[in-house]
Amino acid sequence: MSRLEAKKPVLFISEPLTKATVSQSLSLLSGILKSCYGPAGRLKQLHNGVGGYVCTTSQSSAVLSRLSVGHPVLSVLTASVQNHVSRFSDCGLFTAILCCSLIENFKSLNVASCAVIKISKHLLSLCMDYLKSEACGCRVPVDFSRVETLLCLVRSVLTSKPACMLNKTEVDHLATLILKAFIFTVPCHVETNAVLGKCVIVPVKGRRVVDSAVLPGLLIETPEIQLAKPLTVKRTCSNMIKIALFCVSMSGDSFSPEEGTITVHQGISLEMSELNQLLSVGEQLVNDEVGLVVCQKVIHPSLKQYLRENHVVAVDRAGLSLMEPLSRMTGSKPIASIHSLAPGCYGSLKDVRIESFASKRFVHLIPNDTVVCSLVLCNRNETAWDELKRACETAEHVLQLTIKEPLALLGGGCTETHLASYIRHKSCSLSASCLKDIDCSRTQYQLVADGFCRSLESVACSLNHDDGEILTDVVYGHCWFVPSGFPSVSNWSDLVSKCGCGINGNTENLSWRLLQGQFGSSVMQGCPKEPPVKVADFLTLDCFAAKCSGLQVALETANLILDLSYVIEDQN
């Protein structure tokens, strides 16, 4: 009998944010995430310390899922950000950095946490109302009849992931492919409840990125297919190819010992009985004019040969992940038993071809209506390919979110600095009745508003990793990056050409203020203006839905953590 240990008492930690260990851990986490942020973000190598797979990345989804945090306060923060990323795919680092900055700035204020929470909720409502208003100067409408803005959105996602190791030509090529793949998934005939199709990513590692391609339909890898031999497929009288989709094993060993005991009469061969049943299914498929059989698992060699002799193409080991898109694309119903084939279970295809990419061979299934497509994704090595796959999935999700809400926000730190300028302007002109409703003094409101604005500006500053100065103009409230190596007394107009998002050029007589290290050094005289032109070929844009959610999640999580009085931990 094992030795019994005495039960340890529950550990109570009061006011956890006042503890030095929590502050140090929060500061360390913030530093790690800030160093990952943006196109010039520094890469992180994550591994378990005892060997195995090493992940090289700067993406929040990969960093946070592999980063072990010990303190419950940090666990709340990371779980909240991961939940946001699972729903929106984008703006994970923005959310995490902003949340850390809000906690650090609000904690340093000499204002009660209950007052900070009430004021910050009001500030959030001001931001959300402004972002959703027509007067917002940092949002861009997305016109789906023009591809320029959509390409800007996709480019912005790809360029923000430095571990993908893409040059400009590769970014442009991939952005076009991702947009093309997305358009394939949009139904041609819109119904009441239209559902977008699916883009399946096919991995080809060790090849150039520009070898990537998009094909309508699905690619199923089939190493045994010979390229030299022409593919003869049986067609129906209407020149279509009938397809049968099996989600059950057709290998002839359906009975496994784990499923129980089977009683077999003397002289009966279980294997032959099963094979005869498979050949009977094959005969029915031939009689029903089926031209293609796809099986999720394994097909018996004898059945494969029988089907091939009758001009029926048999593809096995398709895998579970392809079952749903295959069923949707062809209209076939997955067959779960070899003992009964319903007449309505078959689907149809326009054509079947053989495709080759690098050393891999595929059967290419071409549908009648394209709502499913395949993105053949190439990159030089496995590490860069893994990062690129995540980036492409994020870009596709951003486009899906944008079709629901056709808006984008200016990137490159400009939305953050513009919002900070707007909040500073609004906080100066807040009415006495509004302060009474919030139940706070004007001084308290100004302190919290300044901490909120400094947090937004610190996110913009996180984009700079080269020690150059960061400016904001007092006309539009946009973010401008000065190359490193110039003294702070320089004539800024000679050193900057475009703002962070690329929408404003240095063509006006703009006034500047330093942002980095001098947060809140001056208040703008008026509300920040809207840029005169909101169309450019190479804007840096952020997903509207993802960034709005990130702003809300960051502030609500910060408020939750600020409101923690005790951490109660079971040590047993």
Side-chain angles (χ1 to χ4, degrees), residues 228-377:
K229 294 183 179 180
L231 194 65
T232 54
V233 188
K234 180 188 285 187
R235 293 177 180 267
T236 62
C237 54
S238 58
N239 202 33
M240 301 304 293
I241 298 171
K242 194 179 282 189
I243 175 175
L245 183 60
F246 287 86
C247 59
V248 66
S249 174
M250 302 178 79
S251 63
D253 56 355
S254 298
F255 301 108
S256 60
E258 292 83 6
E259 294 175 356
T261 305
I262 300 168
T263 303
V264 181
H265 293 289
Q266 190 174 3
I268 300 294
S269 169
L270 195 61
E271 290 78 10
M272 285 304 300
S273 176
E274 189 72 12
L275 179 57
N276 289 335
Q277 177 62 38
L278 287 172
L279 293 174
S280 175
V281 170
E283 187 178 350
Q284 185 178 341
L285 292 170
V286 172
N287 292 337
D288 290 344
E289 295 186 306
V290 170
L292 175 68
V293 174
V294 178
C295 182
Q296 176 186 329
K297 300 180 181 178
V298 179
I299 299 177
H300 195 285
S302 298
L303 177 58
K304 267 189 178 180
Q305 183 179 351
Y306 174 79
L307 293 171
R308 188 163 52 245
E309 288 170 354
N310 288 275
H311 308 293
V312 179
V313 176
V315 178
D316 61 354
R317 295 182 174 89
L320 178 62
S321 61
L322 288 183
M323 289 296 105
E324 187 273 330
L326 265 172
S327 177
R328 183 172 179 187
M329 181 180 81
T330 62
S332 57
K333 296 174 183 175
I335 302 164
S337 172
I338 61 170
H339 298 283
S340 60
L341 298 182
C345 65
Y346 303 130
S348 63
L349 284 169
K350 183 180 179 181
D351 201 4
V352 177
R353 297 176 188 167
I354 302 297
E355 300 284 353
S356 174
F357 291 94
S359 59
K360 294 185 176 183
R361 292 186 290 276
F362 301 89
V363 170
H364 181 197
L365 312 184
I366 303 170
N368 301 308
D369 294 318
T370 305
V371 290
V372 175
C373 66
S374 297
L375 171 59
V376 181
L377 189 61

Side-chain angles (χ1 to χ4, degrees), residues 73-84:
V73 170
L74 297 187
S75 297
V76 170
L77 194 157
T78 55
S80 184
V81 175
Q82 284 178 290
N83 182 55
H84 161 82

Side-chain angles (χ1 to χ4, degrees), residues 118-171:
K118 284 189 288 186
I119 296 166
S120 63
K121 284 181 178 177
H122 183 261
L123 293 169
L124 177 63
S125 68
L126 287 178
C127 286
M128 298 311 297
D129 290 345
Y130 179 63
L131 290 172
K132 292 179 180 180
S133 71
E134 293 293 328
C136 179
C138 59
R139 77 176 197 182
V140 177
V142 177
D143 183 359
F144 275 82
S145 64
R146 295 169 55 87
V147 300
E148 287 84 357
T149 312
L150 296 170
L151 283 172
C152 287
L153 265 172
V154 177
R155 277 195 208 102
S156 300
V157 172
L158 295 176
T159 54
S160 68
K161 320 297 182 193
C164 296
M165 298 188 291
L166 303 175
N167 57 38
K168 185 181 180 302
T169 303
E170 292 167 341
V171 168

